[in-house]
Amino acid sequence: MTSQQMTFLAAFFAYLLAMIAISWFVSRWQKSGSDFLLAGRKVPLLLTLGTTVATMVGTGSSMGAVGFAYQNAWAGALYGIGGAVGILLLAWVFAPVRKQQFATMSEELASYVGNNALVKKILAVIIYAASIGWLGAHLIGGGMYLAWLTGIDDTTAKLIIGIGLAIYVTLGGYSAVVWTDAIQAMILFVGFLLMAYFAIDSVGGWQAVQNNQLINGSGFLSYQNIGLIPAISMSFAVLVGVMATPSFRQRIYSGDNVSSIRKSFVMSGVLYLGFSLVPAIIGICAYLIKGDLDNPAYAFPYIALNTLPLLLGGIILLAGISATLSSASSDAIAGVSVFVSDIYAWLFKKSLSKRPLTDKQQLVLSRFAMVLTVTIALLFALLSNNIITYITKMISLALCGLFVMGLLGRFWRKLTWQGSIAILVASTLTAALIGFNSKWLAFFGNPSIPAVISGAFFGIVVSLVTQVKTPSKIVQKHKVELM
């Protein structure tokens, strides 16, 4: 390990200690599990904006989108475009559910089918698995950052990231997440813009970026490099991911009110849409500077260390690691919310009915669940190194069904609990079938589009077949309130 790498490692540990200090400071006001998981449902507009932006400008944008652009030029912007449209739709469609005081996404989705107990249990398991999936993706990205920056091996880097995350999020909970995210969001935006500026300068200006073999003749957003349908599928998969990811719902449930949530999401979407070209620019410049990187995911750290002044490059790389941590912490909180509010309550229903948990016991349980959740995600992260593949596979298998169920439940009053199960089964099986057939996978790019179509079709058909003549008044009233 060189002296420069040792300096970067020391700087990362200093950063991690600062996060732990903030978490410890915030933890002094936590009295219950609700304080730990939802920050008392009083997160204001600016903090909601900060934590949303920090999560979106996380592993996918920094490692994933830049690496994708390194291989496919402007197609790297597809990730950001899909994310921006997703968060704007989330603001319009789901921000109003804040009025219902939900604690978890499984609770919300189950309410669309009369709070059916079986559906709620299935949803709890799927959403917990999805949260672990997203958390694992961020641990992969953070580990790759740290390994490149310091020279340590990937496994050790992932372990350091995972253990550090577990400590500071277990201490501070969601309040620590939103405060650290707000700070990181500002650093990240400035850092990415500076990287793009220095990268363009290093390759000889904007004309050099435009006139290269990756771009010439590749069409709008370089879609010909990957194919039209895979390009659309790429953006659609990210859109589905944003609208069905539990951590974004957590921002709705914890927000101060519907108006502040909606405004923060709209602002995030507009910012992210404008930002979507920045990772693509960085990836293209990385290819022009060094077109033979072993792993395209390293394009981001490579450009930071080789085009920026040393100190600035190191700071931006540390900011990049913090981006993965901010995204990971949000997904960890979402997963723990489901575990505590739904899975634990389901497994220990009888004992809880006789002796409910006190506020202090809820807090202890939440912290134990956090350690367990990060540990499981870390084990999965140790088995994979490809971020975009990891994310798109996880989205298609775990989130497409949640996406369809959320939209149908929100706007179509005839959805039944049987139909909701059909959605989850059909979308998952379709995603698996596409994923195992190399020709189909090459045609679609990822299984998200056929998985969503299949889930919607079977969900509607089964709901119509099982529809009772007199819909539940409770469900009717609930859906009317959300409109």
Side-chain angles (χ1 to χ4, degrees):
M1 184 182 293
T2 66
S3 59
Q4 179 185 355
Q5 290 174 325
M6 292 180 65
T7 301
F8 284 147
L9 185 60
F12 170 72
F13 278 117
Y15 161 79
L16 201 57
L17 288 174
M19 295 298 101
I20 293 172
I22 292 172
S23 297
W24 173 81
F25 182 77
V26 171
S27 70
R28 298 185 302 168
W29 285 276
Q30 292 174 353
K31 304 297 181 184
S32 67
S34 179
D35 291 339
F36 182 86
L37 298 172
L38 293 169
R41 298 185 187 270
K42 295 179 180 179
V43 180
L45 186 152
L46 288 179
L47 285 181
T48 302
L49 172 63
T51 186
T52 303
V53 169
T55 298
M56 296 188 76
V57 187
T59 309
S61 293
S62 53
M63 297 289 281
V66 173
F68 197 71
Y70 180 86
Q71 296 176 297
N72 303 292
W74 292 117
L78 295 169
Y79 191 101
I81 292 171
V85 175
I87 199 68
L88 291 172
L89 288 174
L90 198 65
W92 172 56
V93 177
F94 290 108
V97 304
R98 170 63 179 83
K99 300 174 184 177
Q100 305 304 311
Q101 298 285 308
F102 295 123
T104 64
M105 189 175 175
S106 50
E107 184 182 355
E108 176 200 330
L109 296 185
S111 74
Y112 298 140
V113 290
N115 289 309
N116 180 273
L118 176 61
V119 171
K120 190 172 183 179
K121 291 174 183 177
I122 294 172
L123 287 170
V125 173
I126 293 174
I127 291 172
Y128 185 63
S131 297
I132 289 175
W134 278 118
L135 176 55
H138 301 312
L139 293 178
I140 291 171
M144 292 175 73
Y145 266 127
L146 192 60
W148 178 279
L149 191 63
T150 63
I152 61 179
D153 63 272
D154 286 348
T155 299
T156 302
K158 290 174 185 176
L159 288 171
I160 292 173
I161 293 288
I163 293 170
L165 172 75
I167 293 173
Y168 93 78
V169 182
T170 301
L171 276 176
Y174 195 63
S175 295
V177 170
V178 296
W179 277 103
T180 54
D181 278 2
I183 297 170
Q184 291 161 352
M186 292 185 288
I187 297 172
L188 287 168
F189 252 87
V190 173
F192 264 97
L193 292 175
L194 287 173
M195 281 187 71
Y197 172 80
F198 280 102
I200 291 171
D201 184 64
S202 296
V203 299
W206 182 250
Q207 200 63 36
V209 174
Q210 283 288 78
N211 297 327
N212 68 80
Q213 59 181 342
L214 269 182
I215 294 175
N216 288 332
S218 62
F220 179 69
L221 291 177
S222 301
Y223 76 89
Q224 292 181 5
N225 288 342
I226 60 175
L228 179 59
I229 293 178
I232 295 172
S233 188
M234 172 72 176
S235 279
F236 184 73
V238 179
L239 181 154
V240 169
V242 171
M243 293 192 70
T245 295
S247 63
F248 285 103
R249 287 296 217 285
Q250 199 79 2
R251 288 163 173 77
I252 294 175
Y253 309 146
S254 63
D256 197 28
N257 54 62
V258 173
S259 177
S260 69
I261 295 165
R262 184 166 272 163
K263 288 177 182 177
S264 66
F265 279 6
V266 169
M267 293 167 67
S268 299
V270 172
L271 284 171
Y272 199 53
L273 188 61
F275 171 82
S276 62
L277 293 176
V278 176
I281 292 171
I282 296 171
I284 293 169
C285 291
Y287 176 81
L288 294 177
I289 295 171
K290 186 174 176 60
D292 58 350
L293 288 175
D294 293 335
N295 189 334
Y298 288 127
F300 179 87
Y302 178 85
I303 208 80
L305 288 180
N306 290 277
T307 66
L308 275 65
L310 181 60
L311 179 60
L312 181 59
I315 291 172
I316 289 175
L317 281 176
L318 288 176
I321 295 175
S322 75
T324 66
L325 287 173
S326 70
S327 301
S329 59
S330 297
D331 291 308
I333 286 287
V336 170
S337 294
V338 173
F339 182 90
V340 172
S341 301
D342 299 323
I343 296 177
Y344 184 85
W346 158 37
L347 293 176
F348 299 95
K349 184 177 181 180
K350 289 185 178 180
S351 59
L352 289 174
S353 63
K354 296 178 182 178
R355 185 180 297 178
L357 295 177
T358 64
D359 288 345
K360 186 176 181 179
Q361 288 173 328
Q362 290 176 358
L363 185 58
V364 172
L365 173 62
S366 297
R367 286 177 170 154
F368 168 79
M370 179 61 70
V371 174
L372 175 66
T373 300
V374 175
T375 300
I376 295 172
L378 182 58
L379 292 175
F380 281 110
L382 292 173
L383 302 176
S384 179
N385 285 313
N386 191 313
I387 296 170
I388 289 293
T389 300
Y390 183 102
I391 290 175
T392 52
K393 282 183 178 179
M394 192 272 297
I395 287 174
S396 59
L397 287 171
L399 299 187
C400 285
L402 302 180
F403 170 78
V404 174
M405 187 177 173
L407 284 181
L408 284 181
R410 185 77 172 80
F411 294 108
W412 193 54
R413 298 180 184 178
K414 294 183 179 181
L415 181 66
T416 64
W417 69 266
Q418 296 96 331
S420 66
I421 292 178
I423 290 171
L424 298 174
V425 172
S427 61
T428 301
L429 287 178
T430 301
L433 286 173
I434 297 293
F436 283 116
N437 188 303
S438 59
K439 292 183 179 179
W440 292 352
L441 189 60
F443 177 79
F444 287 107
N446 68 75
S448 58
I449 292 177
V452 165
I453 293 173
S454 172
F457 174 79
F458 284 100
I460 291 172
V461 170
V462 173
S463 291
L464 291 175
V465 171
T466 58
Q467 184 71 43
V468 292
K469 293 183 179 180
T470 306
S472 168
K473 293 181 180 179
I474 295 176
V475 177
Q476 292 280 10
K477 180 182 177 182
H478 172 68
K479 290 186 178 182
V480 170
E481 288 175 350
L482 288 178
M483 295 300 180

